[in-house]
Amino acid sequence: MTKQQYQLWILEHQSDDYILERKNEDLIQLDTSYAVASVQFSSIEDNTLVEISIVSKKDERTKFYLHFELKEEEHAKKLFDEMVETLIRLKGEKKVRVLLSCSAGLTTSMFASMLTEAAATLGLDYEFNAVSYMNIYEEADNYDLILIAPQIGYMLNRLRSSLPDHLILQIPTAYFASYNTGETIQFIQKSLNDYCRKKNENKKKICHCKKSQKRILSIVIQINKNKQRISYRLYNKNEVLDENLIIKPTYRIQDLYDIIDTLLLKYTFIDCISIATPGIVNDNKHFVEAYTGSIIDIHELFEEKYHISTYVFNNANAACVGFSLEHPEYSHIIFHSQPFGVGHGGQGIIANKMLLTGYKGIAGELRYYLHRMQLSDDENKLIWTEAGALEVVTKALLPSIITIGPEAVAISCRMTPDMKEIKKTLSSFIPEEYLPEFYSIQDPIPYMLDGLAHLADEII
């Protein structure tokens, strides 16, 4: 399929749901009141690279992103259709959804109703709801902004640490005490604008990989209830040559092909592909297809297709190796990965500077024993409260610390950002003199990416 054929096919998809417009010879946009979808074309020699994205107008967040080499007609059309489906689904989202919270949710419920009326009067597409503080975590992903009442203002820093991807503010006392809806809405508007501006500032990427003579592609697959994310970095020696994040409602093996095809188009060659995925990895065969649920042997499939050495690792193991690169002073490390809202996490373990994967890759798979640790409730319920998450994480760590005797424990769990709490709880079981140093990890992905590159470099 040629670029011109694909563009003509796209332009035939006029709809009442969006305004379809060709901006120039390389850009087609689908514009709505709530988001903009873009199909961007670029040429590399005789090949065409296509980037598809959706950016929300309310907070400038990317809701959908992928890229691919334009080759197969059916695949290209399927990706466009998937983008349109995602764009139309966003129509159901209010422009701004605000969650209010206090200790019981009663006073904020009244204020939320008043704010809803005030926003309607002002012609603003805002939605306000209220919950008790205990339910914030379960509801957070459904809202753009969280406002807490002054009486629980002491929890602001804790919430920000637990929910780093959310804008969380305390309602100014004067506004809340007088139920001043006008000033509160202005406060919300200014805060959102400031947040979007700061979020778009570039962050320096740090690479902890040891110097290698190889060009290694690291890919991390992340799974959650709302969307799937695939992060990747292409390392050239110990520098990051290219990196990006694919965001889609679901994923399939073709998404990995698109990443590899695009990078090969841009950079000609890759020495090695290293992939991190959740779950047990045995003999490089673990890739769970979202649509079929089948396990795919990536090692054999990719090496046959690309003739590039390919390896697959558990994501917690990769993160543990990445952390060890940043902290070479430690010989014994546990990296506890607890995805948000998931009752059982996983652990990567290094002993005597060697990664422990265990028989058939079972090492660190907490799901097989955690529910037998005399928890006060089901782990899938406990993980939604701070006290419950603390119980789950510490009881998951207890047998590992006793068995391995680590010098350092890195914890990636949004609900337990306070390492002093972790240490205090564990000290009721283990004398404090035997406890390791604890590190709170806000974003485990850079550690996974670096760890993958290092693991592959050790093999090839």
Side-chain angles (χ1 to χ4, degrees), residues 292-336:
T292 64
S294 60
I295 295 178
I296 299 173
D297 184 343
I298 297 182
H299 176 77
E300 181 178 341
L301 188 65
F302 280 29
E303 290 197 350
E304 183 178 340
K305 180 177 176 65
Y306 294 107
H307 305 288
I308 298 173
S309 298
T310 302
Y311 307 100
V312 187
F313 303 95
N314 169 268
N315 52 13
N317 288 341
C320 192
V321 172
F323 181 83
S324 73
L325 296 175
E326 184 177 89
H327 294 278
E329 67 272 23
Y330 298 128
S331 298
H332 310 277
I333 300 169
I334 295 173
F335 193 107
H336 181 91

Side-chain angles (χ1 to χ4, degrees), residues 438-449:
F438 292 93
Y439 293 81
S440 178
I441 306 299
Q442 292 292 329
D443 183 6
I445 303 305
Y447 292 98
M448 293 180 188
L449 292 166

Side-chain angles (χ1 to χ4, degrees), residues 9-20:
W9 179 82
I10 291 173
L11 292 170
E12 291 174 356
H13 287 71
Q14 298 290 342
S15 171
D16 293 336
D17 292 315
Y18 49 78
I19 298 172
L20 180 61

Side-chain angles (χ1 to χ4, degrees), residues 80-352:
F80 177 80
D81 289 339
E82 191 172 350
M83 181 198 71
V84 171
E85 290 173 9
T86 303
L87 178 66
I88 293 173
R89 277 201 300 270
L90 292 175
K91 185 178 181 180
E93 295 184 1
K94 290 286 185 179
K95 186 174 183 182
V96 176
R97 301 193 76 211
V98 182
L99 182 65
L100 281 69
S101 182
C102 59
S103 53
L106 297 176
T107 53
T108 46
S109 290
M110 183 183 299
F111 197 28
S113 297
M114 295 172 67
L115 286 166
T116 298
E117 292 179 11
T121 301
L122 294 169
L124 299 173
D125 192 10
Y126 281 24
E127 178 183 335
F128 296 88
N129 290 298
V131 295
S132 71
Y133 173 74
M134 297 297 293
N135 298 114
I136 284 181
Y137 296 105
E138 292 181 76
E139 297 293 334
D141 282 344
N142 299 317
Y143 290 86
D144 307 297
L145 170 64
I146 297 172
L147 295 178
I148 63 171
Q151 57 263 42
I152 58 169
Y154 63 92
M155 296 303 300
L156 182 61
N157 289 335
R158 176 61 180 260
L159 282 168
R160 285 176 172 171
S161 296
S162 300
L163 300 168
D165 295 330
H166 294 74
L167 175 57
I168 305 172
L169 303 167
Q170 178 184 323
I171 306 171
T173 304
Y175 302 165
F176 189 70
S178 60
Y179 285 163
N180 190 327
T181 56
E183 293 288 353
T184 301
I185 288 175
Q186 289 184 30
F187 171 69
I188 289 170
Q189 290 174 319
K190 183 179 184 304
S191 299
L192 283 171
N193 288 336
D194 291 344
Y195 177 70
C196 291
R197 186 179 67 253
K198 291 177 182 178
K199 183 164 58 68
N200 287 330
E201 294 177 356
N202 292 327
K203 295 182 179 179
K204 185 179 179 181
K205 301 292 190 302
I206 300 174
C207 173
H208 297 290
C209 288
K210 295 180 181 179
K211 195 158 189 175
S212 166
Q213 297 305 311
K214 303 295 183 180
R215 184 173 285 183
I216 301 172
L217 172 60
S218 294
I219 302 175
V220 174
I221 300 168
Q222 303 162 265
I223 301 172
N224 62 39
K225 62 181 181 179
N226 294 323
K227 61 178 72 72
Q228 315 310 320
R229 296 169 180 263
I230 304 175
S231 305
Y232 70 83
R233 276 184 183 175
L234 179 61
Y235 295 86
N236 186 34
K237 298 184 179 179
N238 68 325
E239 296 180 354
V240 178
L241 187 62
D242 202 331
E243 65 181 325
N244 218 322
L245 173 65
I246 306 301
I247 305 172
K248 296 181 68 208
T250 187
Y251 71 97
R252 54 174 71 89
I253 194 73
Q254 184 65 50
D255 297 320
L256 301 187
Y257 293 158
D258 288 338
I259 292 171
I260 298 166
D261 289 343
T262 299
L263 292 176
L264 287 173
L265 187 62
K266 293 168 69 176
Y267 301 104
T268 308
F269 77 93
I270 297 171
D271 291 303
C272 177
I273 300 169
S274 191
I275 300 171
T277 181
I280 296 174
V281 176
N282 183 27
D283 297 330
N284 294 308
K285 294 181 180 180
H286 191 103
F287 178 85
V288 179
E289 179 79 50
Y291 285 103
T292 64
S294 60
I295 295 178
I296 299 173
D297 184 343
I298 297 182
H299 176 77
E300 181 178 341
L301 188 65
F302 280 29
E303 290 197 350
E304 183 178 340
K305 180 177 176 65
Y306 294 107
H307 305 288
I308 298 173
S309 298
T310 302
Y311 307 100
V312 187
F313 303 95
N314 169 268
N315 52 13
N317 288 341
C320 192
V321 172
F323 181 83
S324 73
L325 296 175
E326 184 177 89
H327 294 278
E329 67 272 23
Y330 298 128
S331 298
H332 310 277
I333 300 169
I334 295 173
F335 193 107
H336 181 91
S337 176
Q338 187 86 39
F340 186 64
V342 177
H344 59 267
Q347 290 176 358
I349 301 167
I350 287 178
N352 293 319

Side-chain angles (χ1 to χ4, degrees), residues 6 26-28 37-42 48-54 64-69 83 232 244 262 266:
Y6 191 40
D26 292 322
L27 176 62
I28 296 175
S38 301
V39 184
Q40 179 74 52
F41 297 84
S42 57
T48 300
L49 177 65
V50 183
E51 290 184 271
I52 295 180
S53 64
I54 300 175
F64 184 100
Y65 177 82
L66 57 84
H67 53 66
F68 62 97
E69 183 183 354
M83 181 198 71
Y232 70 83
N244 218 322
T262 299
K266 293 168 69 176

